[in-house]
Amino acid sequence: MIVGRQPGGGAAGERAQEISFSEVCVGALDDTPTGDVYRPILTDVNLTMTESMTTIIGANGSGKSTLLQLFNGLVTADSGRVLIDGLDPLEQGKQVRSRVGFVFTDPAAQLVMPTPLEDIELSLRKRVPKSQRRDTALSVLDELGIADLADRSVYELSGGQRQLVALAAVLAVDPQILVLDEPTTLLDLRNKEKLRTVLADLVARRGVRVIFSTHDLDFAGLADRALVVDSGRVVHDANPAEATRAYRELIMSDST
């Protein structure tokens, strides 16, 4: 089982809180022949998020990944303010990172040990006594239905299997908020449906809040709320059916 927390989104008795973005802007300095030029990546993002599951959709380069990385301080705002359950990633980064688990699109960015079992044991090193780590790690792998991969070389796994192992390693540390950047990209239909079940279960039984980006508009329907990002701005905020319809219209208008 995943250790350390009671169902309901936090420690026993903890009140559910919210994520807020206030006038958030993020950019980068591009080196040009005439000097550094500021390039906006996100502009004037204002959000209050309390839903159990939110999806973010948008074209490549729209700013989705940067928006996701603000949730755990992988990226910090140039201006405005981000608060994660009342915590500022700039000032309380360690507390935010302990609260927010992040799963990258490319699992190679996360898997550092030779086998899935060793990778999850590494994730558990600060939370679980050494004598209990193997059993706990096996329980996490079993919960995702991939215990048979425990002692395989990560280099022998398919992209989809690696993605599920990366998810298991993040879940092992029991995040209160789970952020996934395009988690279905490497998954076949069977593993995509497995992921759908896992995320719904995390929300229903453990109170984990889930935020994910995706190009899979059918998978986006799993969420309670959908944000459409275009050119660094949140241009639509609705239920998934309305948001995907608006996104399709946006793409069609850009292509004509």
Side-chain angles (χ1 to χ4, degrees), residues 241-255:
E242 293 178 10
T244 54
R245 186 161 51 246
Y247 176 57
R248 289 181 188 278
E249 291 173 357
L250 178 66
I251 294 301
M252 291 302 294
S253 66
D254 285 346
S255 63

Side-chain angles (χ1 to χ4, degrees), residues 31-199:
D31 186 12
T32 73
T34 58
D36 290 341
V37 175
Y38 182 81
R39 173 173 51 86
I41 299 173
L42 292 173
T43 304
D44 296 333
V45 177
N46 291 282
L47 293 169
T48 299
M49 302 172 64
T50 58
E51 289 78 12
S52 296
M53 193 177 298
T54 302
T55 188
I56 300 171
I57 56 179
N60 290 334
S62 61
K64 301 190 307 301
S65 291
T66 300
L67 180 58
L68 288 178
Q69 290 173 19
L70 285 164
F71 287 97
N72 74 335
L74 287 170
V75 168
T76 55
D78 295 332
S79 61
R81 193 174 194 196
V82 176
L83 289 176
I84 308 298
D85 293 348
L87 302 172
D88 186 333
L90 276 173
E91 301 171 0
Q92 298 155 299
K94 185 176 181 180
Q95 290 171 268
V96 169
R97 287 188 292 274
S98 70
R99 196 174 192 86
V100 182
F102 197 102
V103 181
F104 292 88
T105 304
D106 181 2
Q110 289 178 258
L111 301 179
V112 298
M113 299 299 286
T115 68
L117 184 62
E118 290 172 288
D119 209 90
I120 296 172
E121 286 182 290
L122 180 66
S123 296
L124 292 168
R125 70 192 184 282
K126 294 182 179 179
R127 300 176 61 89
V128 177
K130 187 174 182 179
S131 62
Q132 299 174 23
R133 285 178 203 160
R134 179 180 175 85
D135 287 345
T136 302
L138 285 170
S139 294
V140 176
L141 288 167
D142 186 59
E143 187 156 355
L144 292 186
I146 52 173
D148 59 310
L149 304 179
D151 295 310
R152 294 265 300 276
S153 167
V154 294
Y155 303 107
E156 296 175 357
L157 304 181
S158 69
Q161 288 171 326
R162 290 184 192 179
Q163 185 70 292
L164 290 171
V165 171
L167 174 59
V170 170
L171 291 179
V173 298
D174 199 28
Q176 298 186 27
I177 300 168
L178 178 64
V179 180
L180 307 99
D181 192 1
E182 299 185 21
T184 63
T185 298
L186 300 175
L187 301 184
D188 59 21
L189 180 59
R190 177 179 288 105
N191 283 325
K192 187 185 300 184
E193 291 307 306
K194 180 182 293 184
L195 178 63
R196 186 192 297 267
T197 300
V198 167
L199 295 183

